[in-house]
Amino acid sequence: MITTHMNGYVQEGTAQAASHRERAVDCPGDESCLVKPVHCSAQMERIQHYQDELRKRREEDSRGKHDIDPNASLRLRKLAQNPKVGVDNPTFEGKEHTTKDAITDLEELLQAIKWVQQYLSDARSHQDAELLIQLLANDDFKCAYSIYTVVSQKMNRVNPTSPLTAQAQELCLEVQKILQSSQQKEGLELRALLTNPHLQALMQAHDSLAVQEMAEDNVIQYLGKTVKMVRLHKTRDTPLGATVRNDMDSVMVSRVVKGGTAEHSGLLNEGDEILEINGISLRGKHVNEVHDLLQQMHGTLTFLLIPSSQIKSAPHRQTVMHVRADFDYDPSDDPFVPCRELGLSFQKGDILHVISQDDPNWWQAYRDGDEENQLLAGLIPGKCFQQQRETLKRTTPDRSREQQGKRWYVKKNKQQKKKSTSLCKNAESEDVLTYEEMSLYHQPANRKRPIALIAPTNSGHDELRRRLLVVEPNKFAVAVPHTTRSARIHERNGREYHFVNRQSFEDDLSAGKFIESGEYGKNLYGTSTDSVRHVVNSGRICLLCLHTRSLKVLRSSNLKPFVIFIAPPSQERLRTLLATEGKTPKPEDLMEVIEKAREMEQDFGHVFDATIVNAEPNEAFFELRRLIEKLDTEPQWVPTSWLC
Ligand code: 5GP
C-alpha cells in the first residue's frame, strides 16, 4: 500500500494507482473489469429512499404533464394510409379544429377568391388569382394543409420545452432494429429517414438538451445539502470522459474531459461528489472500484450528486490555441501526469490543438489530424508547468526526476499564485523549449516562402538545390551573396556577388543583416536577408542551403522560410552515394555526417517543417518538389508571431 499526498487529500492504493491522483472513468482504452457486488450503507439507504421519492414525484409529474397516447402508432398508420389525416381520430375531436374544419376553411377561401376574381380587371391580377384557385383546389395541397392543422394543434398542446425523453437516439435505434426485417414500403422509408445523418444529429442535439432540461427539475434539498440527480447516456462510442478522485471516503469528480458525454451535457462538474450511480452507493469506494464499476455500465446512468460548493466562475470563452510542441512527451514515462490513461503523447514538431487551459498545469488537447479518431481530449503539460519542471531538472541534476517533481508540487501548493507566475518567468528566461503558438498561413502567389535546406555537409542538399535551379530556372533562384574579395574580370557587382569592403561587411554582420557568413581565403562571404528578400519580391522561390546556426536569424527575419531537413541515409548507403560523385570518405567521416545530422535533429527538429531522408536522390528530389508545390495549394502552420 502506498500513500500519496495530493491537494489536501490522501489517496491510498496500489503502486500503479498511487502514482496517479485521478482515475479516468469510462475513457477509451480502459480495460474491462468485472463488476464487484455493491452494498449500500445505512446513510446511503436514506439517500436512496429520498431518491425513490424523487423518482415517484417525477413519474407523477410526467404523467400529469404528458399523456402518453396509446393510439400513437395507430394514428401513424392511418396517416400513411389515409391522405385525409386524422379525420376520424377522436384525439382531435371536440373543441379542437379538426381536419374536416380545415378542409371547410379551404373551401371557403377558394370560394372567396373565385368571387374576388370576377371583379379583377387587369390580366395580371386575374392570373394570380387563378394560380391561387388552382393551388387551393389541389388534393396534395389540401392534404398537406390538413396535416399542418393537426400537427400544429398537437404542438400547441405539448409544451415544447418539456422533453418527454432524453433517449430519442436510443428509441431511434430500437425502431431501426424492429424495422430491419420489414420489407414494406413504409418500413423501408422510415428506416431511410431514421438513418439520415441530419435526423440523427437532430436527435443527438435533442437528447443533450433534454438531459439538461430534465436535470433542472432534479435539484432537491436533503439534510441541508443540495442533492442533484442527473442522467447521462453512455454508449461505447460516446465515453463519459471524466476523472474521479477520493476525498476521504467520498468520490469526487476531479476533471471533466472535453469531448465526452459529461462535458457535452454540462451536468457533471469538477468538485461534485458522486453519491450514487444507478442506485449504487459510491461512498467509501476507491477510485479504482469506481472505474471498474463504470466500465460495466452502459445506457442511461443516473448520478446522485452533491454539487460542488465552489462558486463557479463564468465559463471561459473556449478558444482553441494551436501550438507546435518543441519537446517530446510520453505520458507513460511521466510520473506526474494526473491521469495516465488520458495523457497524450506527442513528438517535437507535432501540432497540437489546445482546447482547454482551465487547469493551467494540465491542458487538454488533440493532436493535429487525430481529431476524428481521438474521442476525448488528452492531457498535456501546461506551458508554465513544463517550463518549471524542466528548469528544476536543470538546476538539480543530481536529484531523481521523481524527487524534483515532488519538490515542485510542494512549492506550488505552498506558494501564492503570484510566486508561481514569477517562477514561470524565470523558467522562460532560461529558454526552455515548450510550445510555440501557431497559425495557418497560405503563401500569396506573388510572395513565395524561401526554402531553406538544412543538412550536414555531404548529405546532398546542394545537389538537390542545383537540380531545382536547372529544372525550373524561372521559378527558383538563389540570393546573391556578399563578399569582400575583388571582382573577377567576368563578374558584375550584384550578379555573382555584392562586392563590398571589409568594414562595410563587418558593420552589416554586427547589425545582424546576414543570415549566414564565413571566411574563405582571407575573404569574407555571406548571404544577407535583403538579398533573400530581393528574390522573394521578384516572385521567385529563394533556395537556401544552410547550417542550423542560421535558423535563428532567418526565422526572426519575417521572410517566413519553409525549413526542410535533408537527412543522410545509413552509413553504407551514404558511402555508395558519395562514391558516385567520386568521393571516398573514411568511415569516421561518414559517421561524423550521421552524428552531425542526429545533433541537428535533436537541437532543431522542432523548427523543421519537413524532413527528407536522402537515400534515393531521385525520390528525394520528387519529394522536395511535392513539398514545395504543396505550399501553393495548402495553408501551412507557421508561428503566430510571424503574422503579427
Ligand atoms: P569564390 O570566391 O571562388 O567565388 O568562392 C570561394 C568560396 O567562397 C566558395 O567555394 C564558398 O565556399 C565560399 N562562398 C561563396 N559564396 C558564399 C556565401 O554566400 N556564403 C559563404 N559562407 N561562403 C560562400
Side-chain angles (χ1 to χ4, degrees), residues 273-339:
E273 181 187 345
I274 310 176
L275 296 171
E276 290 180 5
I277 304 174
N278 283 4
I280 299 170
S281 165
L282 296 197
R283 275 252 169 108
K285 281 198 192 309
H286 188 273
V287 285
N288 285 356
E289 288 177 81
V290 180
H291 165 268
D292 295 349
L293 184 67
L294 269 160
Q295 280 281 342
Q296 302 299 310
M297 292 179 154
H298 293 283
T300 302
L301 303 185
T302 306
F303 288 76
L304 194 66
L305 306 167
I306 298 181
S308 165
S309 55
Q310 279 184 356
I311 299 160
K312 262 190 246 154
S313 52
H316 300 157
R317 199 168 61 92
Q318 291 290 356
T319 45
V320 181
M321 181 169 79
H322 313 283
V323 296
R324 187 199 55 224
D326 290 351
F327 64 106
D328 295 333
Y329 179 67
D330 178 5
S332 66
D333 195 28
D334 183 355
F336 307 109
V337 61
C339 178

Side-chain angles (χ1 to χ4, degrees), residues 481-483 485 488 491 497 516-520 525-527:
H482 284 61
T483 182
R485 79 156 164 77
R488 291 175 189 146
E491 288 174 337
Y497 288 104
E516 62 80 40
S517 63
E519 193 158 1
Y520 183 84
Y525 294 84
T527 311

Side-chain angles (χ1 to χ4, degrees), residues 480-487 491 493 496-502 505 514 518 520 523-527:
V480 177
H482 284 61
T483 182
T484 56
R485 79 156 164 77
S486 327
E491 288 174 337
N493 190 22
E496 284 80 12
Y497 288 104
H498 296 290
F499 297 99
V500 291
N501 63 40
R502 199 169 185 102
F505 193 105
F514 285 106
Y520 183 84
N523 288 311
L524 295 175
Y525 294 84
T527 311

Side-chain angles (χ1 to χ4, degrees), residues 54 75 126 140 144 203 269 279 282 334 356 380 382 415 426 434 479 599 612:
L54 191 84
R75 202 161 55 243
H126 207 271
D140 286 344
M203 299 223 192
N269 292 298
L282 296 197
D334 183 355
S356 168
I380 62 169
Q415 287 173 349
N426 288 343
T434 54
E599 273 173 26
I612 298 174

